[in-house]
Amino acid sequence: MPLFGNSFSPKKTPPRKWASLSNLHLLDRSTREIELGLEYGTPTMKLAGQSLKFENGQWVSESGSFLGDGRELQRLRKRNQQLEEENNLLRLKVDILLDMLSETTAESHLMEKELEELKQHSRRKK
């Protein structure tokens, strides 16, 4: 039995009203878009000096080509192809070197094992 009574006894809050006090939900869609400014238009952004807009699920340059002239694009594609070929050649060389290393390591282990056997055999004869 508490001396001063129950100090923590919050009052019950009244139930909330379910209906909105705003009458904007009663308006049709076009009126709501005008009133609330929900018509945004196409999204645009400026990136690296190029102005881009979002159309049909893709970013399109407003000035035409996004990367500049076609010669630069062709040069970049050719360079990319060269780098991919070089990368493939280097991967092949690494694979060959790893195979050679594993073969040499295996031969080395076999020779060490034979050497140990010869040492043990020569010790037995003495």
Side-chain angles (χ1 to χ4, degrees):
M1 183 166 161
L3 186 59
F4 298 107
N6 192 356
S7 62
F8 185 74
S9 59
K11 296 179 183 176
K12 290 194 173 192
T13 58
R16 295 181 183 233
K17 296 180 181 177
W18 63 272
S20 172
L21 298 176
S22 172
N23 61 355
L24 291 175
H25 69 281
L26 299 175
L27 300 175
D28 62 273
R29 183 171 189 228
S30 61
T31 310
R32 271 188 284 170
E33 287 178 356
I34 293 169
E35 289 290 325
L36 300 175
L38 295 178
E39 185 60 41
Y40 297 118
T42 58
T44 58
M45 72 174 177
K46 201 164 192 169
L47 181 66
Q50 294 280 337
S51 182
L52 303 168
K53 60 184 176 182
F54 193 74
E55 289 182 348
N56 299 327
Q58 291 186 348
W59 288 99
V60 180
S61 175
E62 290 181 348
S63 64
S65 68
F66 176 62
L67 292 174
D69 60 13
R71 286 178 279 138
E72 179 70 15
L73 182 61
Q74 186 67 20
R75 186 187 68 76
L76 290 173
R77 283 186 180 154
K78 187 175 181 180
R79 180 69 177 144
N80 188 27
Q81 181 67 28
Q82 288 173 347
L83 291 173
E84 284 179 358
E85 289 173 2
E86 183 180 350
N87 192 20
N88 288 337
L89 179 65
L90 291 173
R91 285 184 185 182
L92 180 65
K93 286 182 178 182
V94 166
D95 286 341
I96 291 171
L97 286 172
L98 286 174
D99 288 343
M100 290 171 62
L101 178 66
S102 61
E103 183 180 347
T104 306
T105 304
E107 287 176 1
S108 171
H109 284 294
L110 283 174
M111 286 182 176
E112 287 177 2
K113 189 175 179 181
E114 286 178 17
L115 184 63
E116 284 296 320
E117 288 176 1
L118 287 174
K119 284 181 182 178
Q120 286 178 359
H121 184 68
S122 67
R123 286 181 192 155
R124 288 183 198 158
K125 285 189 174 184
K126 289 185 181 182

